[in-house]
Amino acid sequence: MRRLISVIVLNEHGVLARISGLFAGRGYNIDSLTVAPIPESDFSRLSIVTNGDERVLEQIVKQLHKLIPTYKVIEDASFVEKEMALVKIPLSEDFAGLDAILKGYNGSVANSSDEFIVVMVVDDASRIDSFLKTVKKFNPIDIVRGGSVIMDM
């Protein structure tokens, strides 16, 4: 079962290690993890995507609530979820159709050089999967996914 968890924590050193240790200690993998400071506060927001057994995930959420630097754990809300991907494509490729694909996935050309272009897309995680399958026809030489960023509604 795929699970989204948003955690608001005090922005201090060692917090990420304690949270990732909770998952590791129970043998659970974190599929994606993003962390960023919350503007004009002393807090950071962690967006965690994981998969697993409901009972164990419930234990992890309970443990997250007990961590001292944790201010809030949001795991049962409706979330807006977006993910970013960067794809490096050699200039030797035929770019016919690339512009239409980028428009379809909220994408654009992020940068270029004498040898390649880097395109960027921002969309739902499942649509990023679809984009990456579609863009394979351009023989990308590198792909980087940014992980999900989530906000409760």
Side-chain angles (χ1 to χ4, degrees):
M1 175 179 186
R2 186 173 190 264
R3 187 82 171 261
L4 305 174
I5 305 170
S6 179
V7 184
I8 310 297
V9 296
L10 194 60
N11 188 1
E12 64 181 22
H13 69 279
V15 173
L16 182 58
R18 283 181 262 170
I19 290 175
S20 62
L22 277 177
F23 283 80
R26 282 154 183 80
Y28 268 82
N29 188 37
I30 296 173
D31 294 333
S32 110
L33 171 68
T34 57
V35 183
I38 296 174
E40 300 176 25
S41 78
D42 295 328
F43 298 101
S44 290
R45 178 186 302 269
L46 287 86
S47 298
I48 303 168
V49 179
T50 188
N51 282 287
D53 175 77
E54 185 67 30
R55 186 180 58 80
V56 175
L57 288 173
E58 186 178 318
Q59 290 175 345
I60 289 171
V61 169
K62 286 180 181 175
Q63 292 297 315
L64 285 171
H65 282 286
K66 292 180 182 176
L67 285 178
I68 290 172
T70 299
Y71 175 71
K72 190 175 184 182
V73 178
I74 306 163
E75 44 89 25
D76 58 354
S78 294
F79 290 104
V80 173
E81 178 187 9
K82 294 295 175 187
E83 185 173 331
M84 183 186 77
L86 296 170
V87 179
K88 188 185 295 183
I89 302 171
L91 286 180
S92 59
E93 292 297 319
D94 178 6
F95 293 130
L98 180 61
D99 191 47
I101 293 169
L102 290 174
K103 283 181 182 175
Y105 288 95
N106 302 315
S108 63
V109 175
N111 208 335
S112 64
S113 75
D114 293 341
E115 299 175 26
F116 56 82
I117 64 168
V118 176
V119 298
M120 174 185 78
V121 293
V122 177
D123 216 317
D124 300 338
S126 63
R127 287 184 43 84
I128 295 292
D129 289 338
S130 297
F131 171 78
L132 294 178
K133 287 178 187 170
T134 303
V135 81
K136 277 186 178 179
K137 74 178 191 178
F138 298 104
N139 299 310
I141 53 177
D142 200 6
I143 297 172
V144 178
R145 290 182 78 150
S148 291
V149 176
I150 60 175
M151 177 181 275
D152 57 301
M153 296 295 294

